[in-house]
């Protein structure tokens, strides 16, 4: 089955710096890669996703890249702000049916003012 | 649109008891998935329901079960609770037209279950 690895597990940056989270997946048939942000006491919130027919996607300060050949995808956050502090999860799935999301272990991001 | 709601938000049970958790998906969403979140194992898939049918199941023992009603609301049940069942149980819904692409999932706030 699919296995998703996420690195690093924690990251601390200064406000205004950039943050990068990297994930790798094992199943080459996976074609949907969402990123979730989870704040304390809340459920994960979808922040951006990418499908395998796209190599990069941007949404304001957030961008995601996908390398299908290497089976890895990354989340880039620019100009970080204290409110970006949260746990970020990557996930992988195969669209087209009832395939489950397989999540990475998560990365705790701390943005210091 | 209202988001995914889960009730109750917190539960304390003792070993051997059973528990039922409820999830109301976003209006119009027909697929409901359940996940268990623990510090050690992260987010793990339990099962997914679509149109009252379980379409996919994770690697959990038979003590974990679920169902979906005609209005797409879902419940999950855990029988004979064990200490290791203490976790945050998350429900997610998605809009899944029949035979079409499985779309993004939207999570509820979760139910925090503590087993003593």
């Amino acid at each position: 089955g699919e296995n998703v690895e996420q690195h690093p597990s924690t990251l601390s940056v200064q406000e205004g710096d950039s943050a990068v989270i990297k994930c790798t997946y094992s199943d080459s048939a996976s074609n949907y890669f969402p990123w979730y942000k989870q704040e304390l006491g809340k459920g994960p919130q979808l922040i951006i996703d990418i499908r395998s027919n796209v190599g990069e996607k941007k949404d304001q300060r957030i961008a995601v890249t996908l390398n299908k050949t290497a089976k890895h995808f990354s989340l880039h956050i620019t100009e970080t702000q204290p409110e970006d502090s949260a746990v970020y999860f990557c996930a992988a799935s195969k669209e087209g049916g009832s395939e489950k999301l397989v999540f990475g272990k998560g990365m705790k991001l701390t943005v210091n003012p | 649109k209202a988001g995914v709601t889960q009730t109750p938000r917190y539960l304390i049970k003792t070993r051997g008891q059973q528990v039922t958790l409820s999830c109301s998906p976003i209006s119009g969403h027909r697929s409901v998935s359940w996940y268990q979140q623990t510090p050690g194992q992260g987010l793990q898939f339990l099962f997914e329901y679509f149109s009252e049918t379980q379409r996919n199941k994770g690697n959990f023992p038979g003590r974990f079960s679920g169902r979906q009603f005609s209005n797409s609301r879902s419940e999950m049940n855990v029988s004979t609770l064990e200490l290791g069942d203490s976790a945050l149980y998350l429900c997610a819904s998605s809009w899944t037209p029949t035979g079409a692409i499985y779309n993004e999932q939207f999570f509820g706030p979760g139910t925090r279950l503590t087993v003593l």
Side-chain angles (χ1 to χ4, degrees), chain B residues 36 44-47 49 54 57-66 76-82 84-85 89:
Chain B
Q36 181 196 65
Q44 292 188 291
F45 174 78
L46 281 155
F47 27 65
Y49 286 88
Q54 186 182 91
K57 190 177 188 304
N59 297 322
F60 279 82
R63 299 186 296 106
F64 292 82
S65 62
M76 68 163 282
N77 183 275
V78 188
S79 62
T80 320
L81 284 166
E82 300 177 0
D85 296 333
Y89 289 88

Side-chain angles (χ1 to χ4, degrees), chain A:
Chain A
E2 174 65 279
N3 183 52
V4 176
E5 299 284 339
Q6 185 171 351
H7 302 280
S9 57
T10 61
L11 180 63
S12 182
V13 300
Q14 290 299 122
E15 184 175 359
D17 287 351
S18 294
V20 180
I21 311 168
K22 298 181 179 181
C23 289
T24 60
Y25 61 99
S26 61
D27 189 346
S28 56
S30 290
N31 56 10
Y32 175 62
F33 307 92
W35 286 87
Y36 286 86
K37 174 185 180 182
Q38 187 174 27
E39 297 173 327
L40 202 60
K42 297 183 179 181
Q45 178 187 9
L46 179 70
I47 56 172
I48 195 168
D49 57 18
I50 192 167
R51 290 172 170 84
S52 60
N53 58 345
V54 175
E56 184 177 4
K57 185 176 178 180
K58 290 182 180 180
D59 183 4
Q60 300 182 339
R61 298 185 296 109
I62 294 173
V64 58
T65 59
L66 171 65
N67 183 326
K68 287 190 294 181
T69 302
K71 288 190 283 189
H72 67 69
F73 55 115
S74 302
L75 178 72
H76 304 251
I77 306 173
T78 59
E79 300 171 24
T80 54
Q81 300 166 4
E83 51 265 38
D84 293 331
S85 296
V87 178
Y88 291 81
F89 293 93
C90 61
S93 176
K94 284 176 277 192
E95 285 197 309
S98 63
E99 293 297 331
K100 62 187 178 183
L101 282 174
V102 178
F103 284 87
K105 292 291 189 186
M107 186 207 79
K108 183 176 181 180
L109 174 65
T110 302
V111 180
N112 301 300

Side-chain angles (χ1 to χ4, degrees), chain B residues 35-62:
Chain B
Y35 293 82
Q36 181 196 65
Q37 185 175 26
T38 59
Q41 298 300 316
L43 278 150
Q44 292 188 291
F45 174 78
L46 281 155
F47 27 65
E48 186 247 354
Y49 286 88
F50 175 77
S51 290
E52 302 178 65
T53 300
Q54 186 182 91
R55 295 198 300 185
N56 205 347
K57 190 177 188 304
N59 297 322
F60 279 82

